[in-house]
Amino acid sequence: MKYLGEKSLSSYLHIFLVAAWYLVILAAFFIGVILSIAMFSDPVLEPGVSAFSRMKFELYSEIKKDPEAWKFFSSAPVHFRIIALLFISSVIFLLLKIIKKGQKIFSNFKNNIVFNEANVLLISKVSKLLILFSILTFNFSSLLVSIILLILTDVFKNGAALQEEHDLTV
Amino acid sequence: MAIIFRLDRMMADRKISSGELASRIDLTNANLSILKTGKARAIRMSTLEAICRELHCQPGDLLEYVPDDNEKDVLQ
């Protein structure tokens, strides 16, 4: 199994991350539409004529099946809803940033650029973003991954210095 | 850098092009140009040996020490 270069694990991961980028954008769009319908419109329980109001009606009748959830949902104040929306959008924004940086790293690996100053910067940025992401989503397995990446940043920094020394030795 | 590699002068004396020298000492053109522009951090003994063999000269003919500006102040 090849890990670096053309037709290797890195090139497949690059393709996967490009696909993931578009998938996350698509999912974020639909989640945004559904959430803004659910959060910022009046809870009217009558199916209207338009597709929009039918969708709203179905959403609300789904929530109404659970009385506890409905009570919580209908009594949540507006500023709470705005904070929830901001939280979700910031998580999605962080995820998109991490994916974009990952794409660049794996495209560098695909082109056999490994121990490079650009990669050091990218990996350190990814690890910091991942720490923020894992704290926001209470996902502590990715916190562990980000700490490992933080250590790997130093490894890559040393590697880049050695690579430069080697390249300039004739 | 205080050490200057006088490869250009020696190549002109021996009337040899950089491409030909590169192929004779098994060095890529890119590496030879690193050497000529003075960007090199270090030079292998084997490379120096091959250059001296092909140009019929001593390492002292190729390398020259020129003090930096701040080093000149110390010497004076």
Side-chain angles (χ1 to χ4, degrees), chain A residues 161 164-170, chain B residues 27 31 40-44 47:
Chain A
E164 201 195 345
E165 197 74 28
H166 179 260
D167 284 344
L168 292 177
T169 299
V170 188
Chain B
L27 212 63
N31 275 342
R41 291 266 181 84
I43 179 164
R44 286 200 192 89
T47 313

Side-chain angles (χ1 to χ4, degrees), chain A residues 40-97:
Chain A
F40 299 105
S41 59
D42 295 325
V44 183
L45 273 177
E46 273 174 29
V49 243
S50 64
F52 179 80
S53 57
R54 266 208 300 282
M55 197 171 155
K56 203 164 91 180
F57 174 74
E58 272 166 27
L59 199 71
Y60 282 131
S61 48
E62 198 62 38
I63 301 170
K64 257 208 154 173
K65 280 177 189 162
D66 186 0
E68 280 290 312
W70 175 249
K71 202 180 156 196
F72 174 76
F73 177 77
S74 55
S75 66
V78 175
H79 63 261
F80 177 79
R81 295 173 192 202
I82 290 171
I83 287 170
L85 198 69
L86 275 178
F87 170 76
I88 291 165
S89 49
S90 66
V91 165
I92 288 171
F93 179 72
L94 271 178
L95 195 62
L96 285 175
K97 275 225 136 193

Side-chain angles (χ1 to χ4, degrees), chain B residues 1-66:
Chain B
M1 234 2 198
I3 298 284
I4 295 170
F5 206 69
R6 297 271 183 213
L7 193 58
D8 284 341
R9 207 172 55 188
M10 214 61 206
M11 274 164 61
D13 282 355
R14 299 286 185 267
K15 296 191 173 54
I16 184 170
S17 74
S18 53
E20 199 188 336
L21 183 66
S23 68
R24 276 202 208 170
I25 59 178
D26 270 344
L27 212 63
T28 60
N29 267 323
N31 275 342
L32 194 66
S33 92
I34 286 174
L35 206 58
K36 277 166 73 181
T37 50
K39 276 191 238 156
R41 291 266 181 84
I43 179 164
R44 286 200 192 89
M45 287 299 173
S46 57
T47 313
L48 192 60
E49 188 193 323
I51 292 171
C52 289
R53 188 185 63 227
E54 291 304 326
L55 296 180
H56 311 293
C57 64
Q58 292 298 313
D61 302 330
L62 294 168
L63 295 166
E64 190 173 334
Y65 173 68
V66 179

Side-chain angles (χ1 to χ4, degrees), chain A residues 98-110:
Chain A
I98 291 169
I99 289 173
K100 203 74 190 167
K101 298 249 184 291
Q103 274 179 27
K104 278 183 198 158
I105 291 173
F106 285 114
S107 85
N108 277 352
F109 283 177
K110 195 177 80 183

